[in-house]
């Protein structure tokens, strides 16, 4: 018996045929699934040239369907495909209350006159936060302390989960890896070992940097910003 699904693609039911009756049509959600599988299916190197024809034959679709699937993914998908990894942002939690911080800012007059010892307090806050991310549908927490001052903010991330270690791997300087405690060094090999335990394929340096960029771009969304603004308004 021949295997007509050698790449273990997800069976999907078409909604019908196109106008010329030469390929299948699928629901938007299923077309997103087809699009994702182009990148998320692990394919042996010696079968790479066979994969795309096999995918199109399995679903009975053409290149135009794949193009439409990509457009739909960009339009309504809630995730990104980053070098064969599906990255998705999840919910957030504010784990504590806002803590007021006192930041001393030098005034313009003080810059001109060192004898003037007056200073102004610039209002700032910190708060403990948690954001959930998903890699290939596997949930991974990202714990960080958020510092807010005016319209700007910065984060200080834990070093416990593999996503937190990805951040530090990217942002720790080369000298820190040389001068620090060898037991504390976060290497690409140690990160990939953790990913392997979670059932997530390995990442190269390009993928790691792209994933960290995605995390930083999505760590605060509109809902979280609104919740933080409400807390700051109440605190002031």
């Amino acid at each position: 018996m021949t295997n007509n699904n050698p790449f273990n693609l997800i069976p999907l039911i078409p909604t019908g045929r196109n106008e010329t009756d030469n390929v299948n049509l699928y629901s938007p959600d299923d077309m997103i699934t087809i699009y994702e599988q182009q990148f998320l299916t692990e394919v042996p190197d010696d079968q790479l040239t066979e994969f795309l024809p096999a995918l199109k034959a399995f679903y009975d679709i053409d290149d135009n369907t794949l193009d439409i699937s990509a457009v739909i993914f960009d339009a309504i998908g809630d995730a990104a495909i980053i070098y064969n990894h599906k990255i998705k942002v999840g919910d957030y939690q504010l784990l504590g209350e806002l803590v007021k911080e006192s930041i001393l800012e030098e005034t313009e007059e003080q810059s001109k006159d060192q004898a003037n010892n007056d200073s102004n307090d610039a209002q700032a806050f910190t708060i403990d936060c948690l954001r959930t991310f998903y890699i290939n549908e596997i949930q991974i927490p990202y714990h960080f302390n958020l510092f807010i001052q005016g319209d700007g903010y910065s984060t200080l991330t834990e070093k416990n989960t593999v996503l937190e270690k990805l951040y530090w791997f990217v942002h720790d300087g080369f000298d820190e890896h040389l001068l620090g405690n060898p037991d504390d060094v976060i290497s690409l090999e140690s990160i990939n070992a953790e990913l392997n335990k979670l059932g997530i394929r390995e990442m190269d340096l390009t993928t790691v940097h792209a994933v960290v960029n995605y995390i930083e771009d999505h760590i605060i969304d509109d809902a979280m910003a609104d919740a933080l603004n409400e807390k700051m308004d109440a605190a002031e």
Side-chain angles (χ1 to χ4, degrees):
M1 179 181 294
T2 59
N3 181 6
N4 66 346
N5 188 13
F7 299 104
N8 296 315
L9 300 169
I10 299 171
L12 300 171
I13 299 174
T15 58
R17 303 282 286 178
N18 67 352
E19 292 180 358
T20 56
D21 193 31
N22 67 314
V23 294
N24 283 335
L25 299 176
Y26 292 87
S27 70
D29 287 344
D30 285 348
M31 292 181 76
I32 287 178
T33 299
I34 292 172
Y35 172 80
E36 291 172 348
Q37 286 185 103
Q38 294 179 75
F39 306 98
L40 302 182
T41 304
E42 296 195 44
V43 181
D45 289 344
D46 61 350
Q47 297 180 42
L48 286 174
T49 58
E50 303 172 20
F51 173 65
L52 197 56
L55 179 140
K56 290 192 286 188
F58 182 76
Y59 293 115
D60 192 7
I61 57 175
D62 57 10
D63 289 332
N64 184 58
T65 305
L66 294 178
D67 291 341
I68 295 172
S69 298
V71 171
I72 294 175
F73 179 89
D74 288 338
I76 67 174
D78 59 355
I81 302 294
I82 300 176
Y83 300 104
N84 304 120
H85 294 80
K86 179 181 178 182
I87 312 298
K88 183 167 63 173
V89 62
D91 293 334
Y92 73 90
Q93 295 179 53
L94 303 180
L95 300 178
E97 293 302 317
L98 282 172
V99 177
K100 284 187 178 182
E101 304 287 347
S102 180
I103 306 296
L104 297 179
E105 287 191 336
E106 194 175 57
T107 66
E108 196 173 314
E109 289 75 20
Q110 284 174 307
S111 298
K112 297 176 181 177
D113 184 3
Q114 295 296 325
N116 184 350
N117 292 322
D118 292 336
S119 61
N120 295 329
D121 285 337
Q123 189 64 68
F125 300 92
T126 58
I127 188 169
D128 200 25
C129 306
L130 185 73
R131 169 69 73 180
T132 299
F133 290 90
Y134 296 84
I135 301 181
N136 298 348
E137 306 301 337
I138 296 171
Q139 179 177 316
I140 306 175
Y142 190 83
H143 185 195
F144 60 99
N145 187 265
L146 178 66
F147 175 85
I148 309 166
Q149 184 179 11
D151 294 330
Y153 70 88
S154 61
T155 62
L156 181 62
T157 305
E158 297 284 337
K159 282 189 179 180
N160 299 319
T161 71
V162 68
L163 282 185
E164 294 161 6
K165 292 175 182 177
L166 278 175
Y167 173 90
W168 284 107
F169 175 73
V170 168
H171 289 281
D172 270 359
F174 181 70
D175 290 341
E176 293 216 14
H177 286 275
L178 290 178
L179 301 175
N181 184 342
D183 294 334
D184 296 332
V185 170
I186 300 171
S187 65
L188 185 59
E189 290 76 14
S190 65
I191 287 171
N192 278 325
E194 288 196 46
L195 291 173
N196 184 60
K197 289 179 183 178
L198 294 172
I200 300 171
R201 70 178 65 181
E202 291 186 356
M203 296 183 182
D204 60 15
L205 284 173
T206 302
T207 306
V208 166
H209 281 266
V211 169
V212 170
N213 286 340
Y214 181 88
I215 290 170
E216 293 180 326
D217 289 343
H218 293 82
I219 195 168
I220 298 178
D221 58 12
D222 290 343
M224 183 177 177
D226 289 343
L228 289 168
N229 286 332
E230 287 181 10
K231 283 183 174 290
M232 287 191 289
D233 289 344
E236 293 171 345

